[in-house]
Every structure is written in C-alpha cells, then in structure tokens.
Short mmCIF file of all heavy atoms in Angstrom, two decimals:
data_model
loop_
_atom_site.label_atom_id
_atom_site.label_comp_id
_atom_site.label_asym_id
_atom_site.label_seq_id
_atom_site.Cartn_x
_atom_site.Cartn_y
_atom_site.Cartn_z
N VAL G 1 -10.10 -6.48 4.24
CA VAL G 1 -9.94 -5.92 2.89
C VAL G 1 -8.50 -6.08 2.39
O VAL G 1 -8.04 -5.33 1.53
CB VAL G 1 -10.36 -4.43 2.82
CG1 VAL G 1 -11.86 -4.28 2.95
CG2 VAL G 1 -9.65 -3.60 3.87
N ASP G 2 -7.79 -7.08 2.91
CA ASP G 2 -6.41 -7.31 2.46
C ASP G 2 -6.33 -7.72 0.99
O ASP G 2 -5.25 -7.70 0.41
CB ASP G 2 -5.73 -8.38 3.33
CG ASP G 2 -5.05 -7.77 4.55
OD1 ASP G 2 -5.39 -6.62 4.90
OD2 ASP G 2 -4.19 -8.44 5.16
N SER G 3 -7.46 -8.11 0.40
CA SER G 3 -7.45 -8.41 -1.03
C SER G 3 -7.01 -7.19 -1.84
O SER G 3 -6.45 -7.32 -2.94
CB SER G 3 -8.84 -8.86 -1.49
OG SER G 3 -9.81 -7.86 -1.23
N MET G 4 -7.23 -5.99 -1.30
CA MET G 4 -6.78 -4.76 -1.95
C MET G 4 -5.27 -4.75 -2.14
O MET G 4 -4.76 -4.09 -3.05
CB MET G 4 -7.19 -3.53 -1.13
CG MET G 4 -8.67 -3.22 -1.14
SD MET G 4 -9.08 -1.82 -0.06
CE MET G 4 -8.15 -0.49 -0.82
N LEU G 5 -4.55 -5.46 -1.28
CA LEU G 5 -3.09 -5.43 -1.29
C LEU G 5 -2.47 -6.47 -2.20
O LEU G 5 -1.33 -6.29 -2.64
CB LEU G 5 -2.56 -5.64 0.14
CG LEU G 5 -3.16 -4.77 1.24
CD1 LEU G 5 -2.60 -5.19 2.60
CD2 LEU G 5 -2.88 -3.30 0.97
N PHE G 6 -3.19 -7.55 -2.46
CA PHE G 6 -2.56 -8.69 -3.14
C PHE G 6 -3.27 -9.15 -4.41
O PHE G 6 -2.62 -9.58 -5.36
CB PHE G 6 -2.49 -9.89 -2.17
CG PHE G 6 -1.77 -9.58 -0.89
CD1 PHE G 6 -2.47 -9.36 0.29
CD2 PHE G 6 -0.38 -9.50 -0.86
CE1 PHE G 6 -1.80 -9.08 1.47
CE2 PHE G 6 0.30 -9.21 0.31
CZ PHE G 6 -0.41 -9.01 1.48
N LYS G 7 -4.58 -9.09 -4.43
CA LYS G 7 -5.33 -9.73 -5.51
C LYS G 7 -5.17 -8.97 -6.83
O LYS G 7 -5.33 -7.75 -6.86
CB LYS G 7 -6.81 -9.81 -5.12
CG LYS G 7 -7.64 -10.70 -6.02
CD LYS G 7 -9.05 -10.87 -5.45
CE LYS G 7 -9.90 -11.76 -6.36
NZ LYS G 7 -11.27 -11.92 -5.83
N PRO G 8 -4.87 -9.67 -7.92
CA PRO G 8 -4.74 -9.00 -9.23
C PRO G 8 -6.11 -8.76 -9.87
O PRO G 8 -6.55 -9.52 -10.74
CB PRO G 8 -3.91 -9.99 -10.05
CG PRO G 8 -4.24 -11.32 -9.47
CD PRO G 8 -4.51 -11.10 -7.99
N PHE G 9 -6.81 -7.74 -9.44
CA PHE G 9 -8.14 -7.44 -9.98
C PHE G 9 -8.05 -7.08 -11.47
O PHE G 9 -6.97 -6.73 -11.98
CB PHE G 9 -8.79 -6.30 -9.20
CG PHE G 9 -9.06 -6.61 -7.77
CD1 PHE G 9 -8.23 -6.15 -6.77
CD2 PHE G 9 -10.16 -7.39 -7.40
CE1 PHE G 9 -8.47 -6.45 -5.44
CE2 PHE G 9 -10.40 -7.69 -6.09
CZ PHE G 9 -9.57 -7.21 -5.10
N LEU G 10 -9.19 -7.13 -12.13
CA LEU G 10 -9.24 -6.92 -13.58
C LEU G 10 -8.66 -5.57 -13.98
O LEU G 10 -7.89 -5.47 -14.95
CB LEU G 10 -10.70 -7.05 -14.06
CG LEU G 10 -10.92 -7.08 -15.57
CD1 LEU G 10 -10.23 -8.30 -16.17
CD2 LEU G 10 -12.40 -7.09 -15.89
N LEU G 11 -9.00 -4.52 -13.26
CA LEU G 11 -8.54 -3.17 -13.60
C LEU G 11 -7.40 -2.70 -12.72
O LEU G 11 -7.07 -1.52 -12.70
CB LEU G 11 -9.72 -2.18 -13.48
CG LEU G 11 -10.98 -2.50 -14.28
CD1 LEU G 11 -12.08 -1.50 -13.93
CD2 LEU G 11 -10.68 -2.45 -15.77
N CYS G 12 -6.80 -3.62 -12.00
CA CYS G 12 -5.89 -3.27 -10.91
C CYS G 12 -4.64 -2.52 -11.39
O CYS G 12 -3.96 -2.95 -12.33
CB CYS G 12 -5.47 -4.53 -10.17
SG CYS G 12 -4.44 -4.20 -8.73
N ASP G 13 -4.34 -1.41 -10.73
CA ASP G 13 -3.10 -0.69 -10.95
C ASP G 13 -2.06 -1.22 -9.96
O ASP G 13 -2.13 -0.93 -8.78
CB ASP G 13 -3.33 0.81 -10.76
CG ASP G 13 -2.10 1.64 -11.10
OD1 ASP G 13 -1.07 1.46 -10.43
OD2 ASP G 13 -2.18 2.46 -12.02
N ARG G 14 -1.10 -2.01 -10.44
CA ARG G 14 -0.17 -2.69 -9.53
C ARG G 14 0.77 -1.71 -8.83
O ARG G 14 1.27 -1.99 -7.74
CB ARG G 14 0.65 -3.73 -10.31
CG ARG G 14 -0.19 -4.80 -11.01
CD ARG G 14 -1.20 -5.46 -10.05
NE ARG G 14 -0.57 -6.29 -9.06
CZ ARG G 14 -0.35 -7.59 -9.18
NH1 ARG G 14 -0.73 -8.21 -10.27
NH2 ARG G 14 0.20 -8.28 -8.20
N ASN G 15 1.03 -0.56 -9.44
CA ASN G 15 1.90 0.43 -8.80
C ASN G 15 1.24 1.00 -7.55
O ASN G 15 1.86 1.07 -6.48
CB ASN G 15 2.22 1.56 -9.79
CG ASN G 15 3.21 2.56 -9.20
OD1 ASN G 15 4.14 2.19 -8.50
ND2 ASN G 15 2.99 3.83 -9.49
N VAL G 16 -0.03 1.38 -7.66
CA VAL G 16 -0.78 1.88 -6.50
C VAL G 16 -0.90 0.79 -5.45
O VAL G 16 -0.74 1.03 -4.25
CB VAL G 16 -2.17 2.39 -6.93
CG1 VAL G 16 -3.03 2.68 -5.71
CG2 VAL G 16 -2.04 3.64 -7.79
N GLN G 17 -1.15 -0.43 -5.89
CA GLN G 17 -1.28 -1.55 -4.96
C GLN G 17 0.01 -1.78 -4.18
O GLN G 17 -0.02 -2.01 -2.96
CB GLN G 17 -1.66 -2.81 -5.74
CG GLN G 17 -2.16 -3.96 -4.87
CD GLN G 17 -2.61 -5.14 -5.71
OE1 GLN G 17 -1.91 -5.56 -6.63
NE2 GLN G 17 -3.78 -5.68 -5.41
N SER G 18 1.15 -1.70 -4.84
CA SER G 18 2.43 -1.92 -4.15
C SER G 18 2.76 -0.78 -3.19
O SER G 18 3.31 -1.02 -2.11
CB SER G 18 3.56 -2.10 -5.18
OG SER G 18 3.75 -0.92 -5.93
N ILE G 19 2.43 0.45 -3.55
CA ILE G 19 2.65 1.58 -2.64
C ILE G 19 1.80 1.39 -1.38
O ILE G 19 2.28 1.57 -0.26
CB ILE G 19 2.29 2.92 -3.33
CG1 ILE G 19 3.28 3.22 -4.46
CG2 ILE G 19 2.28 4.06 -2.31
CD1 ILE G 19 2.87 4.40 -5.32
N LEU G 20 0.54 1.04 -1.59
CA LEU G 20 -0.37 0.83 -0.47
C LEU G 20 0.14 -0.28 0.45
O LEU G 20 0.17 -0.13 1.68
CB LEU G 20 -1.75 0.48 -1.01
CG LEU G 20 -2.90 0.32 -0.01
CD1 LEU G 20 -3.15 1.62 0.72
CD2 LEU G 20 -4.17 -0.13 -0.75
N ARG G 21 0.61 -1.38 -0.14
CA ARG G 21 1.05 -2.54 0.64
C ARG G 21 2.42 -2.32 1.30
O ARG G 21 2.58 -2.50 2.50
CB ARG G 21 1.11 -3.77 -0.27
CG ARG G 21 1.57 -5.05 0.42
CD ARG G 21 1.71 -6.20 -0.55
NE ARG G 21 2.70 -5.93 -1.57
CZ ARG G 21 2.44 -5.83 -2.88
NH1 ARG G 21 1.21 -5.99 -3.33
NH2 ARG G 21 3.41 -5.59 -3.75
N ASP G 22 3.41 -1.88 0.49
CA ASP G 22 4.80 -1.86 0.96
C ASP G 22 5.18 -0.59 1.70
O ASP G 22 6.06 -0.62 2.56
CB ASP G 22 5.75 -2.07 -0.23
CG ASP G 22 5.52 -3.40 -0.92
OD1 ASP G 22 5.06 -4.34 -0.25
OD2 ASP G 22 5.78 -3.49 -2.14
N GLU G 23 4.54 0.54 1.38
CA GLU G 23 4.93 1.80 2.00
C GLU G 23 4.00 2.24 3.12
O GLU G 23 4.37 3.09 3.93
CB GLU G 23 5.01 2.91 0.94
CG GLU G 23 6.06 2.65 -0.13
CD GLU G 23 6.22 3.83 -1.07
OE1 GLU G 23 6.02 4.99 -0.62
OE2 GLU G 23 6.52 3.61 -2.26
N ILE G 24 2.78 1.66 3.17
CA ILE G 24 1.82 2.11 4.19
C ILE G 24 1.41 0.96 5.12
O ILE G 24 1.64 1.03 6.33
CB ILE G 24 0.59 2.75 3.53
CG1 ILE G 24 1.01 4.01 2.76
CG2 ILE G 24 -0.49 3.09 4.58
CD1 ILE G 24 -0.08 4.68 1.96
N VAL G 25 0.81 -0.09 4.58
CA VAL G 25 0.22 -1.13 5.42
C VAL G 25 1.29 -1.94 6.16
O VAL G 25 1.21 -2.13 7.38
CB VAL G 25 -0.69 -2.06 4.61
CG1 VAL G 25 -1.22 -3.19 5.49
CG2 VAL G 25 -1.84 -1.27 4.01
N ASN G 26 2.30 -2.41 5.46
CA ASN G 26 3.33 -3.22 6.13
C ASN G 26 4.09 -2.44 7.21
O ASN G 26 4.29 -2.96 8.31
CB ASN G 26 4.29 -3.81 5.10
CG ASN G 26 3.70 -5.03 4.41
OD1 ASN G 26 2.78 -5.65 4.92
ND2 ASN G 26 4.23 -5.38 3.25
N PRO G 27 4.55 -1.20 6.94
CA PRO G 27 5.19 -0.44 8.02
C PRO G 27 4.25 -0.19 9.21
O PRO G 27 4.68 -0.22 10.37
CB PRO G 27 5.59 0.87 7.34
CG PRO G 27 5.73 0.52 5.91
CD PRO G 27 4.68 -0.51 5.64
N LEU G 28 2.97 0.07 8.93
CA LEU G 28 2.01 0.31 10.00
C LEU G 28 1.89 -0.92 10.89
O LEU G 28 1.89 -0.82 12.13
CB LEU G 28 0.64 0.67 9.41
CG LEU G 28 -0.50 0.90 10.41
CD1 LEU G 28 -0.19 2.09 11.32
CD2 LEU G 28 -1.82 1.13 9.67
N ARG G 29 1.81 -2.11 10.29
CA ARG G 29 1.67 -3.35 11.06
C ARG G 29 2.99 -3.79 11.70
O ARG G 29 2.98 -4.47 12.71
CB ARG G 29 1.14 -4.45 10.14
CG ARG G 29 -0.29 -4.22 9.68
CD ARG G 29 -0.73 -5.27 8.67
NE ARG G 29 -2.14 -5.13 8.30
CZ ARG G 29 -2.76 -5.90 7.42
NH1 ARG G 29 -2.09 -6.86 6.79
NH2 ARG G 29 -4.05 -5.72 7.14
N ARG G 30 4.09 -3.39 11.10
CA ARG G 30 5.39 -3.83 11.63
C ARG G 30 5.87 -2.93 12.77
O ARG G 30 6.29 -3.41 13.82
CB ARG G 30 6.43 -3.84 10.51
CG ARG G 30 7.81 -4.35 10.95
CD ARG G 30 8.83 -4.22 9.83
NE ARG G 30 8.96 -2.84 9.40
CZ ARG G 30 9.92 -2.41 8.58
NH1 ARG G 30 10.81 -3.25 8.09
NH2 ARG G 30 9.98 -1.14 8.23
N THR G 31 5.82 -1.61 12.56
CA THR G 31 6.37 -0.67 13.55
C THR G 31 5.32 0.23 14.18
O THR G 31 5.62 0.94 15.14
CB THR G 31 7.44 0.22 12.89
OG1 THR G 31 6.82 1.09 11.94
CG2 THR G 31 8.50 -0.63 12.19
N GLY G 32 4.10 0.24 13.62
CA GLY G 32 3.06 1.11 14.16
C GLY G 32 3.16 2.55 13.69
O GLY G 32 2.47 3.42 14.19
N PHE G 33 4.02 2.82 12.70
CA PHE G 33 4.21 4.20 12.25
C PHE G 33 4.38 4.26 10.74
O PHE G 33 5.08 3.44 10.15
CB PHE G 33 5.44 4.82 12.92
CG PHE G 33 5.72 6.24 12.49
CD1 PHE G 33 4.87 7.27 12.89
CD2 PHE G 33 6.81 6.54 11.69
CE1 PHE G 33 5.11 8.58 12.49
CE2 PHE G 33 7.06 7.85 11.29
CZ PHE G 33 6.21 8.87 11.69
N VAL G 34 3.72 5.24 10.10
CA VAL G 34 3.85 5.48 8.66
C VAL G 34 4.21 6.95 8.46
O VAL G 34 3.53 7.84 8.98
CB VAL G 34 2.54 5.16 7.91
CG1 VAL G 34 2.69 5.46 6.42
CG2 VAL G 34 2.14 3.71 8.12
N LYS G 35 5.26 7.20 7.71
CA LYS G 35 5.70 8.57 7.45
C LYS G 35 4.75 9.27 6.48
O LYS G 35 4.16 8.65 5.61
CB LYS G 35 7.12 8.57 6.87
CG LYS G 35 8.17 8.03 7.82
CD LYS G 35 9.53 8.00 7.14
CE LYS G 35 10.58 7.42 8.08
NZ LYS G 35 11.91 7.33 7.43
N ALA G 36 4.65 10.59 6.64
CA ALA G 36 3.75 11.37 5.79
C ALA G 36 4.12 11.28 4.32
O ALA G 36 3.25 11.31 3.45
CB ALA G 36 3.76 12.83 6.24
N ARG G 37 5.42 11.14 4.02
CA ARG G 37 5.82 11.10 2.61
C ARG G 37 5.30 9.83 1.90
O ARG G 37 5.13 9.83 0.69
CB ARG G 37 7.33 11.24 2.47
CG ARG G 37 8.17 10.10 2.97
CD ARG G 37 9.62 10.26 2.47
NE ARG G 37 10.50 9.23 3.00
CZ ARG G 37 11.32 9.40 4.01
NH1 ARG G 37 11.37 10.57 4.64
NH2 ARG G 37 12.10 8.43 4.43
N SER G 38 5.08 8.76 2.68
CA SER G 38 4.53 7.54 2.07
C SER G 38 3.08 7.76 1.64
O SER G 38 2.67 7.33 0.56
CB SER G 38 4.61 6.38 3.06
OG SER G 38 5.95 6.07 3.39
N VAL G 39 2.31 8.42 2.50
CA VAL G 39 0.93 8.74 2.14
C VAL G 39 0.89 9.75 0.98
O VAL G 39 0.05 9.66 0.09
CB VAL G 39 0.16 9.29 3.36
CG1 VAL G 39 -1.27 9.66 2.98
CG2 VAL G 39 0.15 8.26 4.49
N MET G 40 1.84 10.70 0.99
CA MET G 40 1.90 11.66 -0.11
C MET G 40 2.22 10.96 -1.43
O MET G 40 1.69 11.35 -2.50
CB MET G 40 2.96 12.74 0.17
CG MET G 40 3.05 13.81 -0.90
SD MET G 40 1.47 14.67 -1.23
CE MET G 40 1.37 15.74 0.21
N HIS G 41 3.05 9.93 -1.38
CA HIS G 41 3.34 9.15 -2.59
C HIS G 41 2.06 8.54 -3.15
O HIS G 41 1.81 8.58 -4.36
CB HIS G 41 4.37 8.06 -2.25
CG HIS G 41 4.96 7.40 -3.46
ND1 HIS G 41 5.73 6.25 -3.39
CD2 HIS G 41 4.88 7.70 -4.79
CE1 HIS G 41 6.11 5.91 -4.60
NE2 HIS G 41 5.61 6.76 -5.48
N LEU G 42 1.23 7.99 -2.25
CA LEU G 42 -0.06 7.44 -2.67
C LEU G 42 -0.97 8.54 -3.21
O LEU G 42 -1.63 8.36 -4.24
CB LEU G 42 -0.73 6.72 -1.50
CG LEU G 42 -2.13 6.14 -1.76
CD1 LEU G 42 -2.07 5.04 -2.81
CD2 LEU G 42 -2.74 5.60 -0.46
N ARG G 43 -1.00 9.68 -2.55
CA ARG G 43 -1.86 10.79 -2.98
C ARG G 43 -1.47 11.30 -4.37
O ARG G 43 -2.33 11.65 -5.18
CB ARG G 43 -1.81 11.93 -1.96
CG ARG G 43 -2.37 11.55 -0.60
CD ARG G 43 -2.11 12.60 0.45
NE ARG G 43 -3.04 13.71 0.35
CZ ARG G 43 -2.97 14.81 1.14
NH1 ARG G 43 -2.01 14.91 2.05
NH2 ARG G 43 -3.86 15.77 1.01
#
C-alpha cells in the first residue's frame, strides 16, 4: 500500500500524505522507531 505515500490521488490531501510518509513510515523503516508526537500530528 505504498501508493498511499506517493501517488497523487484525485482527492489526495498532500499534507496528510507527507506526514504519513516523512514522519511515520520512513523513520519506522530507517530506525525501527516512531515517536508518539509524530502519530499525534497525524491524528
């Protein structure tokens, strides 16, 4: 489901997409850890 991170969907909110990609998914894959404040930003 990586298309959620990159694909410019018709109704896509790019701000939410960038938070999901840059603050949650990439840190998780890079270091194995995501801070709670990143998830709170998404929430």
Side-chain angles (χ1 to χ4, degrees):
V1 289
D2 271 19
S3 59
M4 289 176 62
L5 310 176
F6 304 103
K7 192 172 179 180
F9 296 101
L10 190 62
L11 305 174
C12 184
D13 186 297
R14 301 309 290 268
N15 184 39
V16 170
Q17 194 176 47
S18 64
I19 292 171
L20 184 62
R21 180 185 62 243
D22 300 332
E23 297 186 32
I24 296 175
V25 177
N26 281 340
L28 178 63
R29 292 174 175 179
R30 183 185 59 170
T31 68
F33 179 70
V34 178
K35 296 177 182 178
R37 69 167 176 260
S38 297
V39 178
M40 182 56 76
H41 193 191
L42 177 64
R43 296 171 79 183

